[in-house]
Each structure stands twice: as structure tokens, then as C-alpha cells.
Amino acid sequence: MSLSSASSQIIEHVVLFKVKDETEPAKVAGMMSGLNGLTSLDQVLHLSAGPIHRNRSSVFKFTHMLHSRYSSKEDLSVYSGHPSHMSVVKESVLPICEDVMAVDWVADNVSGPVVPQPGSAMRLTFMRLNEGLGDEEKEKVLGAVGEIKDCLGSLDQMTYGENFSPARAKGFSIASIAIFPGLNELEALDSNPEVVQLQKDKVRDLLDRVIVLDYVVPPPQSASL
């Protein structure tokens, strides 16, 4: 697959990390370096890891995240079980993290680059539905998320979908990523939130909890690292 443009479908993989407060900066840098080094694995179309720019959740105190993309669920599975990935997790992630959450979804009808430009700003949203809701309510939430895409004028790309890996998702079943050219465009959205708010109000009663995070795509890791 060309890295310059996406196919109609990609697999999104997002992992959120809460680094322990007392962790030495060198160990945090080592975790980021190890995770970003996984971009060299054959199955990875895109991977970036770094600090969360802004965490809008009052309950979950995540500090860092990883975003990666794959051509298929099978490629994601191979990546997850790869010795290099397992080594980074065991040696650099688990010793310094007190909480980890992961969400995966199939993004359909994706247009634009597979690899977001360094400096791009992302808004990530994770939704946990109220207990006992069925497919009809879930489709209503997905529909409202899809309609938000049409309201964001400066948007470079947006994907959304239903999580297919529940084990580490803490019950969050719907996720989205909105990618903007930079922080200025993302912050402009916050200064004029009425349009997005109208869509959120349609499904607010169906949601138990929502996590919203902002992330800036870091520059590629130096090949010498």
C-alpha cells in the first residue's frame, strides 16, 4: 500500500498510557523511543507515540498514547505478538505505567494519507454506552459521530468505528479520530463548538462516559535512535 494515501479501509489501533507520577524522565523517553521504534515492523503502516497534549477526562489520567494503522486485523495481530513489540511492552512500558487502555476499530471509506503529517493535531474520542443498550442505539451513536465529520471545515481526515478488542478497552465501544492540520485549527473548533454540540446532544442520554484527548503527531524518530 502506498503511504501517501489510504485505501477504503484501515485498522486503527490506539493505546493510552498512564505513566506513574514518580517515573524518571529518562525511563519515559525510553518507553517512547521503544514504541516509536516499532514503526519499522513490516505490518505497520503508521505508528507514532508521544505525550498527550490535553486530557479532557476528569476520571482517566492518561499521560501518553500510541496511534498506529494496519491493512488488516491479521496484521494487527501479528504486530501485537511480534517479539519486538512484546519486548518493549515488558521492558519499557509495564514497569512504569499504572494504567493502560487500548481500542481498535475498522475505519471504512478512509480518504487521505495513511501517515498523518508531523505537527498534525488529533482529537480522539472514546465513548462507553449505557448498559443494556442494543444495536439500534449503537448505530444511532455511530451515525451522530459520522455527522460530526461534515461539520468540521478544517478537518484533514476523520475515522470512527466500533471497537473489536474489548479486553483492554474498559467498556468503551465506539471511538473516533479527527485529524487537523495543526493545533490552531483544532483550537478554532473549540472556540465555535455549537455545531459539534448539536450532534453530541442527540446521543448524550445513551452515553455512560466519554474520554476526549488531544494529541500532536511528533516528528519521525531519528534513525540513529
Side-chain angles (χ1 to χ4, degrees):
M1 173 186 291
S2 170
L3 296 185
S4 61
S5 61
S7 67
S8 61
Q9 185 183 93
I10 57 174
I11 305 300
E12 299 276 29
H13 173 63
V14 176
V15 186
L16 307 178
F17 308 94
K18 169 62 174 77
V19 174
K20 298 174 184 176
D21 292 339
E22 69 278 8
T23 303
E24 298 173 10
K27 292 184 178 180
V28 179
M31 181 180 85
M32 292 295 99
S33 178
L35 291 171
N36 278 303
L38 298 174
T39 192
S40 63
L41 298 182
D42 290 342
Q43 295 77 23
V44 176
L45 298 177
H46 161 69
L47 185 150
S48 76
I52 291 171
H53 176 72
R54 184 183 293 111
N55 185 344
R56 300 170 182 269
S57 170
S58 60
V59 176
F60 296 99
K61 304 297 184 181
F62 296 113
T63 57
H64 296 74
M65 63 163 272
L66 175 146
H67 170 231
S68 56
R69 289 175 159 176
Y70 307 85
S71 295
S72 65
K73 291 182 180 180
E74 290 75 19
D75 281 354
L76 172 58
S77 179
V78 172
Y79 158 84
S80 297
H82 195 285
S84 296
H85 173 259
M86 297 177 72
S87 176
V88 170
V89 171
K90 180 180 179 180
E91 298 175 11
S92 299
V93 175
L94 295 181
I96 68 171
C97 288
E98 63 183 39
D99 197 9
V100 178
M101 171 177 154
V103 178
D104 306 312
W105 69 97
V106 178
D108 290 314
N109 301 315
V110 179
S111 61
V114 172
V115 180
Q117 289 293 320
S120 299
M122 295 184 175
R123 171 145 305 165
L124 300 100
T125 305
F126 307 93
M127 287 158 276
R128 187 166 68 197
L129 276 60
N130 291 322
E131 289 188 19
L133 298 184
D135 290 341
E136 182 178 347
E137 291 86 359
K138 188 176 297 182
E139 289 300 322
K140 184 177 180 181
V141 175
L142 286 167
V145 174
E147 290 174 6
I148 288 176
K149 180 179 180 180
D150 298 328
C151 304
L152 305 178
S154 59
L155 190 68
D156 278 349
Q157 189 181 77
M158 181 173 176
T159 80
Y160 62 96
E162 182 178 354
N163 175 51
F164 61 79
S165 302
R168 295 186 296 161
K170 301 183 184 297
F172 288 83
S173 60
I174 294 176
S176 69
I177 296 178
I179 305 177
F180 297 83
L183 276 175
N184 288 340
E185 290 80 5
L186 177 57
E187 290 168 356
L189 172 67
D190 292 334
S191 66
N192 186 28
E194 290 83 3
V195 175
V196 173
Q197 193 64 44
L198 286 173
Q199 298 302 325
K200 290 181 177 179
D201 288 344
K202 292 181 180 180
V203 297
R204 186 176 304 279
D205 292 343
L206 302 178
L207 302 177
D208 172 56
R209 192 170 299 281
V210 179
I211 297 175
V212 180
L213 306 170
D214 295 340
Y215 173 72
V216 178
V217 179
Q221 182 167 279
S222 170
S224 64
L225 294 179

